[in-house]
Amino acid sequence: MKVVIEEDKCCAAGQCVAAAPDVFDQRDDDGIVVLLTVHPPDDLAEGVRDAVAMCPAVAIRVEQ
Amino acid sequence: MAEKVADSEVSEGLPKYPSPRAARCPFAPPPELLELRDTGKSVVRVETWDGTTPWLATTHAAERELLSDPRLSANIGAPGYPHTTEAMKEHSAHMQPSINNTDGAEHSRWRRMLTSSFTRPRMQKLRPAIQEITDDLIDKMLAGPNPVDLNEALSLPLPSLMICELLGVPYEDHAFFQEHAGATNARFKTAEQGAETTRVLREYIAGLIEAKIDQPGEDVLSDLGERVKAGDLLMEEAAPLGHILLVAGHDTSANMITLGTALLLENPAQLALLRENSGDPKAVANAVEELLRYLTIPHLLARRAVVADIEIDGETIRAGEGVIASLPAGNWDPAAFPEPEKVDLTRKASHHLAFGWGPHQCVGQQLARVELQVVFGTLFRRIPTLRLATDLAELRFKEDSQAYGIYELPVAW
């Protein structure tokens, strides 16, 4: 699994951090998403898919 | 004028929006709204209070699609924008650009001035402070008169204290700003009343920002003051931001606490489940998402103007028309939430629309979550005998406000 984020779209809702805290964080000075790992291990895949579903700005996508 | 004629031509026989809720189930969205959703069309034309005929989106999927689409604008001055109230309509003509009425890159600029103060990691760090305030308010409640109005005892003071702390607003002024927040959200006010309450609150916030330019603290209004001092932001721009945060930062959470408590007291099996699991943060967090879904406080939102034609579900929505994405209808869509009329605190509900959807989704949502998780994890554990001190039928629900809630909730224990 490869995670791709579009920073320009990010609205800093923080939902990805809620869904997969080992994969996503928020930048301290503006809350924009920080990708902690581009290729998360399989056991984090469900959280990543939740993050994709919960991102209101549609700023996260997954490539196989 | 041409727009008015067009409206009257198509408005013949259209469903009226919003329609009233059913008295016997005041927690559920209006039955007519759910009937519209069940017609099989995800967007339908409706007639609103001023005779205009915007489109109403009622399914979870259509609402997510529309609210993420850059062809929809949050600019309340754009042609076709479906105004909630006469006061808003009047106000739209001389509205300054700000976080809530701009689009695209301009909206991102406004939003990013505030987002650092409301990140999820920062809000999680506030949990001990929120727990302490909650315990303190419950101590006071237990030591005071019984029954008591939950709004006064807990629902309003908790989020008000927190937003005051974050913004740098003196909590001593809470009676003043709570009253004006209620007036801001009222649906049936005149344009003059709306303008007056906005003017008063903005002057108040501007005064606080002025003081913080001289004596800054660690808070959002001080940050805004710094930008004003540096010439990056005008005071006329900073004050509305503070105004929005102050009103949205306490009134919505307060309504969720009161409504959520009433709903749980009416659903003893779910309440027992919550109480049993109150030591499990994940279970409590899940319960809060379901309460947010079920109750959907911003019951008359989200609203947009269409700036370029859109095709959706076989319909063409044209530039210059309005769209209302009914957040309660989307949150009660069985395609997204099976048996939506059942409160199920174990259901996976985190993809709900209660904080809106798209780039305008609520800035303060992570603060609201921690507040609600602490309150619902604590209240019923600390007061296991809590009960309604009146009949449900006696309660006054806020159908006449943009934020749904209950005016007073007498509780006993």
Side-chain angles (χ1 to χ4, degrees):
Chain A
M1 171 185 274
K2 182 186 177 192
V3 183
V4 180
I5 54 174
E6 290 178 74
E7 269 190 35
D8 287 355
K9 282 188 178 177
C10 175
C11 68
Q15 287 294 77
C16 55
V17 189
D22 295 325
V23 181
F24 304 101
D25 197 359
Q26 283 181 279
R27 212 154 60 194
D28 209 36
D29 55 351
D30 57 7
I32 297 306
V33 60
V34 175
L35 187 59
L36 301 175
T37 168
V38 179
H39 297 286
D42 288 351
D43 60 326
L44 299 180
E46 192 189 343
V48 172
R49 279 192 286 271
D50 282 347
V52 172
M54 285 158 63
C55 174
V58 202
I60 308 169
R61 67 171 196 276
V62 168
E63 293 172 0
Q64 285 309 324
Chain B
M1 206 58 205
E3 196 187 330
K4 206 71 202 158
V5 172
D7 278 327
S8 65
E9 278 171 2
V10 293
S11 68
E12 198 73 25
L14 282 182
K16 298 274 193 289
Y17 176 87
S19 54
R21 297 191 188 225
R24 61 178 181 79
C25 44
F27 301 109
E32 287 172 33
L33 177 65
L34 301 183
E35 283 164 23
L36 284 179
R37 184 205 61 205
D38 291 340
T39 56
K41 297 294 291 179
S42 59
V43 288
V44 289
R45 266 192 190 268
V46 290
E47 186 183 351
T48 62
W49 62 277
D50 61 350
T52 52
T53 57
W55 294 86
L56 184 74
T58 57
T59 66
H60 189 261
E63 292 182 40
R64 285 182 25 147
E65 187 179 331
L66 286 167
L67 293 174
S68 301
D69 194 313
R71 290 171 290 184
L72 264 64
S73 170
N75 179 2
I76 69 168
Y81 186 94
H83 297 283
T84 327
T85 65
E86 187 192 352
M88 288 279 289
K89 191 175 192 172
E90 185 76 18
H91 186 50
S92 67
H94 37 87
M95 185 91 171
Q96 295 270 4
S98 193
I99 183 170
N100 55 335
N101 59 13
T102 47
D103 304 306
E106 193 187 3
H107 166 247
S108 293
R109 186 181 76 85
W110 287 104
R111 190 172 170 101
R112 286 174 193 194
M113 288 183 203
L114 304 177
T115 42
S116 69
S117 305
F118 294 93
T119 64
R120 185 176 166 87
R122 280 197 189 188
M123 297 306 99
Q124 291 295 336
K125 285 189 192 124
L126 293 178
R127 190 177 287 270
I130 293 171
Q131 184 68 58
E132 198 178 321
I133 293 171
T134 304
D135 280 322
D136 186 40
L137 289 168
I138 292 174
D139 286 342
K140 285 198 182 108
M141 190 172 148
L142 289 169
N146 179 5
V148 69
D149 173 16
L150 193 80
N151 276 336
E152 292 294 321
L154 181 65
S155 309
L156 270 168
L158 170 68
S160 299
L161 278 159
M162 286 315 300
I163 202 67
C164 281
E165 176 72 25
L166 279 167
L167 294 188
V169 169
Y171 182 70
E172 302 88 86
D173 297 340
H174 71 274
F176 160 78
F177 68 70
Q178 284 167 355
E179 184 193 326
H180 280 285
T184 299
N185 282 336
R187 259 169 75 195
F188 302 115
K189 63 190 174 225
T190 64
E192 290 75 25
Q193 286 164 336
E196 179 60 12
T197 205
T198 299
R199 188 188 63 76
V200 168
L201 270 180
R202 288 196 180 164
E203 259 180 28
Y204 170 70
I205 297 284
L208 293 175
I209 295 175
E210 287 286 357
K212 282 168 195 297
I213 290 175
D214 295 332
Q215 276 194 311
E218 294 266 312
D219 51 58
V220 175
L221 294 189
S222 294
D223 293 349
L224 293 177
E226 207 177 290
R227 287 177 196 268
V228 172
K229 194 180 174 185
D232 296 338
L233 196 65
L234 298 171
M235 184 59 92
E236 300 86 80
E237 297 172 324
L241 285 179
H243 173 199
I244 292 166
L245 290 178
L246 182 60
V247 172
H250 77 275
D251 195 56
T252 41
S253 296
N255 285 315
M256 262 310 294
I257 296 169
T258 297
L259 262 180
T261 301
L263 177 69
L264 288 166
L265 292 175
E266 288 292 301
N267 289 272
Q270 292 294 315
L271 175 57
L273 186 73
L274 175 64
R275 198 185 284 123
E276 276 164 35
N277 292 324
S278 59
D280 175 356
K282 274 196 172 159
V284 174
N286 205 72
V288 164
E289 298 306 315
E290 170 67 349
L291 293 173
L292 286 162
R293 176 197 76 82
Y294 198 90
L295 295 167
T296 318
I297 301 302
H299 62 146
L300 302 174
L301 300 182
R303 291 164 186 256
R304 298 288 186 271
V306 179
V307 293
D309 294 4
I310 298 178
E311 298 276 339
I312 182 165
D313 198 12
E315 298 285 358
T316 304
I317 304 182
R318 301 204 179 277
E321 294 180 338
V323 169
I324 302 170
S326 170
L327 304 177
N331 277 342
W332 278 54
D333 179 353
F337 306 99
E339 297 189 280
E341 69 289 349
K342 283 193 180 158
V343 194
D344 175 2
L345 301 185
T346 64
R347 110 166 48 228
K348 191 168 181 174
S350 53
H351 53 303
H352 63 72
L353 308 172
F355 290 112
W357 193 257
H360 283 270
Q361 199 184 45
C362 177
V363 169
Q365 59 180 290
Q366 302 301 345
L367 171 63
R369 284 195 166 92
V370 182
E371 289 172 348
L372 297 174
Q373 288 163 10
V374 170
V375 166
F376 290 118
T378 307
L379 179 62
F380 304 104
R381 177 174 54 76
R382 294 273 323 264
I383 319 181
T385 57
L386 195 76
R387 63 180 194 276
L388 288 186
T390 184
D391 286 342
L392 195 66
E394 298 295 314
L395 298 175
R396 291 193 306 133
F397 287 83
K398 295 186 183 177
E399 288 229 49
D400 57 346
S401 173
Q402 294 182 69
Y404 194 58
I406 310 175
Y407 282 101
E408 296 94 21
L409 186 72
V411 290
W413 55 90

